[in-house]
Amino acid sequence: MHRVEGLPGESAPVGLTLALGRLRSLGVTGLRVALPAPGHPLGLSGPPEFNARALDAEEAVICHGAALGLVPEVYEAGPEGDVHVEVVWHVLPVREAPPADVPSLGEAERELAEALREATDVLTRLDVAGSGPVAEAAVEAYRARAEQGREVLAPAYPPRAVRVLELAQRVGLLISLAGENGHGGAVSSAEMGARSDALRPVERTARRAQVAAYNAYVEERERGVQ
């Protein structure tokens, strides 16, 4: 269940459908995704109050056409096995400025491929890449979903955005698996540090690529590309 709180013109929280209609009436013509992390305000434009809330949530939505942003807050309640989940989107003012550190699709694709190659080389050399039956099963499950032609973006998105998002999601899965496997085969502090150093920029690059892909439709409309 989703509710939107703090929407201009509404004195109480409203449902998502009504909120989207209200945003449209306020001049919003598109939505951008932000995926910030500590030290990396990816997709944010300020002010500090909004950025702080978005960093706590590690995600936000920025309106295009109105100086508003939405930050989600997730609540869970109920007994085990029957947990009720509710998302409250808090509407806050944002600064009308270019979003921070969002690359073009072309840049994102090149950076992601390069970062993946470099990280693979380092992890292979250290023999500490995530592996084992759990990792292999997860990767196979991902491949099976991809082969089924699952739709990761709406049909109007450019094909390159779909390609970039699929690669970024696959890289994100591999990073997650590497993290779940602890330090892999790393036994020394130097190896552990090298492994973390190899994965950190890849994770950052994957997040940048995801934001570029999700925001591609709005960016093309803004440039006047139909």
Side-chain angles (χ1 to χ4, degrees):
M1 180 177 178
H2 292 257
R3 294 185 299 132
V4 181
E5 187 177 74
L7 195 63
E10 299 291 342
S11 58
V14 300
L16 196 57
T17 301
L18 178 59
L20 291 173
R22 174 67 71 183
L23 289 172
R24 185 63 181 265
S25 71
L26 292 171
V28 175
T29 58
L31 300 172
R32 287 189 172 97
V33 172
L35 298 176
H40 188 205
L42 175 61
L44 301 178
S45 58
E49 295 79 6
F50 181 83
N51 286 5
R53 293 283 292 268
L55 280 165
D56 285 341
E58 297 186 346
E59 56 185 335
V61 172
I62 313 298
C63 296
H64 177 64
L68 297 170
L70 295 84
V71 178
E73 188 172 3
V74 181
Y75 298 92
E76 294 185 354
E80 185 176 352
D82 188 25
V83 177
H84 169 74
V85 179
E86 181 176 342
V87 180
V88 177
W89 292 86
H90 300 278
V91 181
L92 302 164
V94 299
R95 183 180 298 139
E96 292 187 285
D101 200 35
V102 178
S104 68
L105 279 176
E107 291 170 336
E109 191 170 30
R110 290 191 298 272
E111 290 172 1
L112 194 57
E114 181 179 352
L116 184 57
R117 283 196 302 271
E118 291 178 354
T120 301
D121 289 344
V122 172
L123 295 177
T124 300
R125 187 167 65 251
L126 293 172
D127 192 25
V128 294
S131 61
V134 174
E136 292 170 4
V139 173
E140 286 304 316
Y142 176 90
R143 288 172 178 163
R145 290 196 303 271
E147 289 171 0
Q148 291 173 359
R150 66 190 182 98
E151 192 171 77
V152 296
L153 290 171
Y157 273 82
R160 187 175 222 174
V162 176
R163 186 168 66 247
V164 168
L165 182 57
E166 287 178 336
L167 179 57
Q169 289 180 342
R170 184 169 189 271
V171 171
L173 170 66
L174 295 174
I175 293 171
S176 176
L177 290 172
E180 289 171 3
N181 286 345
H183 292 290
V187 294
S188 70
S189 59
E191 287 178 341
M192 292 177 186
R195 185 176 192 272
S196 297
D197 289 344
L199 292 175
R200 192 177 300 112
V202 182
E203 186 276 335
R204 182 186 181 107
T205 301
R207 280 190 297 109
R208 293 180 77 238
Q210 287 186 63
V211 171
Y214 283 125
N215 296 351
Y217 183 68
V218 171
E219 299 298 340
E220 289 205 349
R221 286 188 59 192
E222 188 174 356
R223 291 196 302 267
V225 179
Q226 301 298 323

